[in-house]
Amino acid sequence: MSGLHSKSGTDSQKQQASDSTDQERTYSIGDVAKIIGSTIKTVRYYDEVGLVKPATYTEGGHRLYTTQDIWRLELTITLRYLDFGIDEIRQIISRETPVDKALDWQIESLELQVSTLSNMISILRLAKENEGDSLQYVYDLVHERAINNEKRSRFIAKRVEESKFLEGVPAEWRSSLLYNFNKHIVNQTKTSAKQTVAWNELQQLINDPEFISDLKQDEFLFFNMVHQPRLGADAWVKSLEGIHTRLNTALKRKLCAESPFVQAIVEDTAMLYANSEQSVDQEEFFRYFAEYSQRTRSERVERFNTLCSLLSPKFRLFSQGNLLLLQGIKWRLEQI
């Protein structure tokens, strides 16, 4: 038995030495392009956009890559094959966006593309079957199915009234809750075929009474605050915009949830949602705010946010900021 252990130990040491040597070895950009089955131009591009930079350079300034760099390049090419964008890949590799969340978004995006293609195929087939002017028929069908911002605005106003979603909320505060939704979704000036499909599903979701009920629970802090606000409606919206501008800055700087910068945003957000009878200086209120913010959202509310993110890249950035904010709140709650 001792001989067996001795042999295994020797083999293990050799393997570790081999791994160490492999890790230290570097490859030229031409060798890397051959290894990953791509081109020098592609490898150079991923360096220029800051996605996969070489580990080092030769004295003459030529790029040198390690096996870890090669793995990142192969992963990047795989994700590009699956239709991930450059910024999305950067966020995944840097762990700025959780992998499972990024995969969920991509699955939703691809499913939406499938629906979009089916919709476009049906339009083309109908146009082909039309005995008149096929091109005019294509034009009419597309414009019949497309929804402009005026139609979206009328739909939301009607649905809010019918559902009594904002019943009891003072008139000056009603647009405040829907501010970001109106800004990024309703008031879009142009809508692609893909976005039209997403909007059609979003309409069905908003028509669901159970979704309205879920949304009221999700926005409880807002409803709690508006009856005794610390700020006026316009000032509150301006402060909310300021918070998300700071969150965008934190995302660009790749700051972690426990960083002083993000934690200051967490503090200010708590103050923004406190009513005039609540003191954000009290630990009890902050615990209440943090625990409420960590509640699991319903599948319908999550679906709503996903569709909005697919409809608008700016809303997706807004969602990523909210995710960082929630991570900051979670960290703060753990400290309490």
Side-chain angles (χ1 to χ4, degrees):
M1 291 291 288
S2 60
L4 180 61
H5 278 275
S6 175
K7 187 175 186 298
S8 297
T10 301
D11 290 344
S12 176
Q13 289 171 359
K14 287 180 178 179
Q15 182 62 48
Q16 288 176 4
S18 175
D19 291 344
S20 177
T21 302
D22 196 40
Q23 284 293 329
E24 293 171 359
R25 181 179 175 183
T26 56
Y27 301 81
S28 70
I29 191 171
D31 290 337
V32 169
K34 291 178 182 177
I35 291 170
I36 66 175
S38 187
T39 64
I40 292 176
K41 183 179 179 181
T42 297
V43 178
R44 187 182 294 120
Y45 170 72
Y46 289 142
D47 174 17
E48 291 171 351
V49 297
L51 199 55
V52 182
K53 303 192 77 63
T56 186
Y57 295 86
T58 66
E59 291 183 1
H62 297 291
R63 298 172 175 84
L64 292 175
Y65 292 84
T66 64
T67 52
Q68 184 63 29
D69 297 330
I70 293 173
W71 155 243
R72 285 168 62 101
L73 282 164
E74 289 178 327
L75 177 61
T76 297
I77 289 171
T78 300
L79 293 174
R80 289 293 290 150
Y81 171 80
L82 293 172
D83 209 31
F84 281 87
I86 295 297
D87 287 338
E88 293 169 324
I89 296 172
R90 183 184 292 110
Q91 291 165 5
I92 293 171
I93 291 178
S94 67
R95 301 293 180 180
E96 184 179 326
T97 298
V99 175
D100 59 341
K101 194 69 176 178
L103 295 179
D104 283 341
W105 278 337
Q106 193 64 4
I107 289 169
E108 296 289 351
S109 179
L110 292 174
E111 288 179 344
L112 187 59
Q113 287 184 41
V114 171
S115 298
T116 302
L117 290 172
S118 296
N119 185 47
M120 293 169 73
I121 289 170
S122 69
I123 289 175
L124 294 173
R125 281 179 174 162
L126 285 171
K128 185 179 178 181
E129 293 169 2
N130 181 50
E131 295 180 356
D133 187 345
S134 295
L135 289 179
Q136 180 64 42
Y137 200 53
V138 166
Y139 175 86
D140 293 341
L141 282 172
V142 168
H143 281 265
E144 178 185 330
R145 299 190 185 192
I147 302 178
N148 59 33
N149 59 344
E150 184 180 344
K151 291 180 181 178
R152 289 195 293 270
S153 182
R154 286 202 304 267
F155 168 77
I156 294 300
K158 182 180 179 181
R159 188 69 192 106
V160 167
E161 182 180 355
E162 290 176 347
S163 66
K164 299 182 179 179
F165 175 56
L166 295 177
E167 188 175 33
V169 174
E172 66 272 19
W173 279 93
R174 295 196 171 194
S175 62
S176 303
L177 178 60
L178 301 174
Y179 176 76
N180 279 293
F181 179 73
N182 287 334
K183 177 181 178 181
H184 299 304
I185 306 299
V186 174
N187 294 327
Q188 281 183 311
T189 54
K190 293 183 179 180
T191 306
S192 67
K194 180 178 175 181
Q195 290 170 322
T196 298
V197 171
W199 171 254
N200 289 338
E201 184 181 342
L202 190 62
Q203 280 183 294
Q204 295 175 10
L205 182 61
I206 293 173
N207 277 324
D208 185 348
E210 292 186 5
F211 165 73
I212 299 298
S213 177
D214 289 348
L215 192 59
K216 283 185 176 181
Q217 293 182 27
D218 191 65
E219 296 293 343
F220 176 80
L221 284 175
F222 174 85
F223 289 104
N224 177 60
M225 177 271 298
V226 295
H227 298 291
Q228 294 173 311
R230 303 168 72 92
L231 298 171
D234 290 341
W236 187 88
V237 168
K238 187 176 180 179
S239 296
L240 186 64
E241 283 229 295
I243 282 172
H244 280 280
T245 298
R246 291 160 64 192
L247 285 169
N248 292 343
T249 299
L251 289 173
K252 289 178 183 177
R253 291 166 58 183
K254 300 180 181 178
L255 299 178
C256 58
E258 60 266 31
S259 68
F261 188 89
V262 174
Q263 285 302 306
I265 300 175
V266 169
E267 290 275 1
D268 291 345
T269 304
M271 180 178 291
L272 193 62
Y273 280 93
N275 66 41
S276 59
E277 290 189 350
Q278 294 168 319
S279 172
V280 293
D281 295 327
Q282 295 177 357
E283 187 175 293
E284 181 180 351
F285 169 71
F286 192 87
R287 185 187 295 275
Y288 163 79
F289 169 78
E291 289 179 347
Y292 179 84
S293 299
Q294 286 298 307
R295 287 183 184 179
T296 302
R297 283 176 163 174
S298 72
E299 290 184 8
R300 284 177 285 267
V301 172
E302 286 289 359
R303 182 63 181 167
F304 171 81
N305 284 309
T306 297
L307 287 168
C308 288
S309 295
L310 293 171
L311 271 164
S312 169
K314 290 184 178 179
F315 193 94
R316 182 167 182 174
L317 182 62
F318 173 78
S319 296
Q320 290 172 337
N322 278 338
L323 181 61
L324 179 61
L325 180 65
L326 288 174
Q327 291 169 347
I329 293 170
K330 182 179 180 181
W331 182 86
R332 178 63 180 269
L333 185 58
E334 289 171 352
Q335 307 313 302
I336 294 176

